[in-house]
């Protein structure tokens, strides 16, 4: 009986120890970022505070949100204005770095 308990405790200890090990070759971060600033222009067709939807010159309708954009990097716009948006991609999400309007 004592041998059975000892064997079971050994198996449990080994299995618990192996579950706690981490793969040292594993990727430390899942974040994928580009350092290149991308730019797109279009006509503002909709939006709200800290967001804009544009009809891009490529024919696409794109929406951008910019809640963390510094005030000196954002300019007011109205529906119908020509807008240029500069952004970087982080995890396939655009992070706006500057928004300019031809009305400025």
């Amino acid at each position: 009986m004592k041998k059975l308990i000892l064997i079971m405790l050994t198996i449990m200890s080994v299995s618990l120890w192996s579950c706690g090990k981490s793969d040292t070759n594993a990727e430390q971060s899942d974040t994928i970022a580009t350092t290149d600033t991308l730019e797109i222009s279009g006509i503002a067709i909709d939006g709200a505070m800290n967001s804009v939807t544009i009809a891009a010159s490529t024919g696409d309708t794109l929406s951008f949100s910019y809640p963390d954009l510094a005030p000196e990097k954002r300019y007011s716009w109205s529906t119908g204005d020509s807008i240029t948006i500069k952004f970087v991609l982080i995890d396939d999400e655009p992070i706006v770095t500057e928004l300019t309007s031809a009305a400025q």
Side-chain angles (χ1 to χ4, degrees), residues 22-63:
S22 64
D23 186 6
T24 57
N25 294 330
E27 185 74 27
Q28 294 297 320
S29 173
D30 291 337
T31 301
I32 300 170
T34 62
T35 55
D36 298 333
T37 299
L38 305 170
E39 184 176 303
I40 192 151
S41 297
I43 304 298
I45 58 173
D46 195 12
M49 181 183 274
N50 299 324
S51 67
V52 64
T53 300
I54 65 170
S57 54
T58 60
D60 296 321
T61 301
L62 305 169
S63 294

Side-chain angles (χ1 to χ4, degrees), residues 82-100:
S82 179
I83 290 180
T84 300
I85 298 172
K86 293 182 182 179
F87 62 96
V88 294
L89 291 175
I90 298 178
D91 288 336
D92 290 330
E93 293 291 323
I95 305 300
V96 177
T97 58
E98 188 172 357
L99 181 141
T100 56

